[in-house]
């Protein structure tokens, strides 16, 4: 997959995803609520960067060819973060590719690891 | 407090449309302005007979819960200030396209606990949701693991 970088992420980006995806947990947009929970600021929904990665995967292999997509959230994403999305094919057998992907912050911390399987077009 | 007795709880059924405006919003929120993700003509120009969707499109169901995305978390007794999304996975069995109507069937399938690295007991809740399309085909199966960190 051609690597892609998004950000620096803004609170507006989080709010746009809230409206699009339906996650209005105030911890992602309400600074007072986040502070009350002991956090330095609001933080991004995991499903935002998971969704971005999924859409890049779909563009890479063809949207209707993705058969499985699984993500583990390994770190939080904060306003100002720049995220790099990468993916590689680990193996292909019987026309199905096994793919590993990850999302990395500008600090080098991995915030998401993902696995996918996709039917490879002949 | 998340009780072990929630395992097996039926999370009910929701029917919702895969509609163009939400697909446009979703693709914009993913930093992608390509109209292929919501416009039938643009999709056709790219060789798609149907407007395709990204793998996480089933998230749109959250708009159709009366209590939003947090409804499930609140209903199982989770402390929302300590709640994290640990894992999510999708089996995509039949492609989802613009115009589809999906019906969910969700349930709690597991609750496990372990000592957290920062003290306190972490509780992991597994939720499985099936999405059946308007033709009665099982289109997707989604599994989520929610984590409530130690108090």
């Amino acid at each position: 997959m051609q690597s892609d970088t998004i950000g620096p992420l803004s609170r507006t980006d989080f709010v746009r995803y809230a409206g699009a995806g339906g996650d209005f947990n105030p911890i992602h947009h309400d600074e007072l609520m986040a502070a009350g929970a002991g956090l330095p600021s609001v933080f991004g929904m995991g499903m935002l960067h998971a969704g971005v990665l999924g859409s890049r995967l779909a563009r890479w292999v063809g949207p209707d060819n993705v058969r499985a997509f699984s993500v583990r959230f390994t770190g939080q994403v904060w306003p100002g973060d720049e995220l790099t999305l990468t993916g590689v094919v680990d193996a292909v057998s019987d026309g199905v590719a096994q793919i590993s992907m990850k999302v990395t912050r500008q600090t080098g911390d991995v915030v998401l690891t993902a696995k996918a399987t996709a039917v490879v077009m002949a | 407090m998340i009780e072990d007795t929630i395992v097996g709880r039926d999370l009910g059924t929701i029917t919702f449309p895969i509609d163009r405006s939400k697909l446009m919003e979703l693709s914009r929120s993913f930093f992608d302005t390509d109209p292929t993700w919501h416009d039938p003509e643009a999709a056709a120009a790219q060789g798609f007979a149907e407007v395709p969707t990204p793998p996480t499109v089933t998230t749109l169901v959250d708009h159709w819960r009366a209590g939003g995305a947090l409804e499930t978390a609140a209903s199982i007794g989770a402390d929302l200030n300590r709640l994290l999304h640990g894992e999510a996975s999708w089996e995509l069995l039949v492609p989802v396209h613009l115009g589809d109507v999906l019906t969910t069937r969700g349930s709690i399938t597991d609750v496990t606990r372990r000592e957290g690295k920062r003290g306190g007991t972490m509780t992991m809740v597994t939720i499985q949701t099936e999405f059946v399309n308007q033709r009665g085909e099982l289109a997707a199966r989604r599994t989520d693991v929610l984590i409530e960190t130690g108090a």
Side-chain angles (χ1 to χ4, degrees):
Chain A
M1 185 173 82
Q2 188 176 358
S3 97
D4 192 7
T5 299
I6 59 170
L9 295 173
S10 68
R11 288 165 178 78
T12 304
D13 293 326
F14 301 161
V15 170
R16 185 177 292 109
Y17 180 71
D23 182 354
F24 287 96
N25 184 343
I27 210 147
H28 299 304
H29 62 259
D30 184 332
E31 212 67 47
L32 296 176
M33 162 102 187
L39 296 168
S41 76
V42 297
F43 64 98
M45 308 79 161
M47 286 290 291
L48 170 53
H49 50 277
V52 176
L53 185 66
S55 77
R56 301 307 186 268
L57 165 71
R59 184 175 285 285
W60 179 33
V61 302
D64 292 348
N65 296 326
V66 181
R67 289 293 179 270
F69 180 55
S70 63
V71 301
R72 279 191 65 230
F73 300 106
T74 55
Q76 278 159 299
V77 168
W78 304 96
D81 277 356
E82 290 187 281
L83 304 180
T84 299
L85 292 68
T86 57
V88 294
V89 175
D90 296 322
V92 179
S93 78
D94 296 332
V96 175
Q98 305 294 327
I99 295 165
S100 293
M101 288 169 290
K102 64 183 176 183
V103 178
T104 309
R105 294 174 66 215
Q106 70 283 357
T107 56
D109 299 330
V110 175
V111 294
L112 181 154
T113 59
K115 297 274 186 193
T117 59
V119 174
V120 183
M121 284 182 281
Chain B
M1 176 72 191
I2 298 172
E3 307 283 354
D4 290 340
T5 53
I6 64 172
V7 174
R9 181 182 293 182
D10 183 351
L11 296 175
T13 288
I14 299 172
T15 297
F16 67 103
I18 302 297
D19 59 331
R20 182 172 176 188
S21 292
K22 292 318 287 188
L23 290 182
M24 186 276 279
E25 285 187 59
L26 201 59
S27 62
R28 293 269 173 96
S29 78
F30 292 158
F31 309 95
D32 190 337
T33 56
D34 183 347
T36 302
W37 294 111
H38 57 83
D39 180 351
E41 286 186 21
Q46 296 297 317
F48 294 106
E50 308 265 4
V51 174
T53 64
T56 62
V57 70
T58 51
T59 193
L60 293 178
V61 69
D62 286 337
H63 290 288
W64 299 85
R65 299 183 205 281
L70 291 177
E71 184 175 279
T72 302
S75 76
I76 61 175
D79 179 343
L80 301 184
N81 281 337
R82 293 188 282 127
L83 194 67
L84 294 172
H85 202 177
E87 299 172 26
S89 63
W90 295 259
E91 290 172 69
L92 302 167
L93 307 165
V94 176
V96 175
H97 296 133
L98 170 65
D100 282 357
V101 176
L102 302 181
T103 298
T104 68
R105 289 192 298 252
S107 63
I108 309 281
T109 57
D110 196 26
V111 174
T112 59
R113 301 180 203 275
R114 70 162 188 261
E115 294 310 305
K117 287 180 196 144
R118 294 176 201 157
T121 302
M122 294 169 56
T123 306
M124 276 76 65
V125 179
T126 304
I127 298 171
Q128 281 204 355
T129 312
E130 293 185 337
F131 296 82
V132 175
N133 69 19
Q134 69 277 12
R135 293 180 296 273
E137 301 160 331
L138 179 59
R141 190 182 284 121
R142 173 175 170 175
T143 305
D144 288 282
V145 179
L146 303 181
I147 300 173
E148 188 190 59
T149 57

